[in-house]
Amino acid sequence: MASLKKISGESDVHTPTYRRRNAPAYESWRRDDLYHLAQKRGIENRANMSNEELARALSRAQNSLS
């Protein structure tokens, strides 16, 4: 049976649950890549952050876009 969203043409892509479920796994990224993405996202104090801190900051920034 088709869901109401599919019938109406809406997409699950724009729901916060979909974004969290399909968010990138920043924990497995290299520090260089995390740093450059943090720079693009405007995360402050990124130079002093560890990989784990950068990953958490990027995840928070991703969730705030929801």
Side-chain angles (χ1 to χ4, degrees), residues 22-50:
N22 295 307
Y26 294 122
E27 293 80 21
S28 63
W29 287 28
R30 294 180 349 189
R31 187 179 190 292
D32 239 15
D33 299 326
L34 291 169
Y35 180 86
H36 289 294
L37 185 56
Q39 186 176 25
K40 282 184 174 181
R41 298 264 169 91
I43 295 174
E44 295 182 12
N45 299 322
R46 61 189 171 271
N48 298 324
M49 291 184 183
S50 67

Side-chain angles (χ1 to χ4, degrees), residues 13-14 28 41-42 51:
V13 173
H14 300 291
S28 63
R41 298 264 169 91
N51 284 14

Side-chain angles (χ1 to χ4, degrees), residues 25 43 49 57 63 65-66:
I43 295 174
M49 291 184 183
N63 289 338
L65 295 175
S66 306

Side-chain angles (χ1 to χ4, degrees), residues 47-64:
N48 298 324
M49 291 184 183
S50 67
N51 284 14
E52 292 80 20
E53 291 169 324
L54 283 167
R56 278 194 305 266
L58 287 166
S59 292
R60 281 193 305 268
Q62 178 76 25
N63 289 338
S64 70

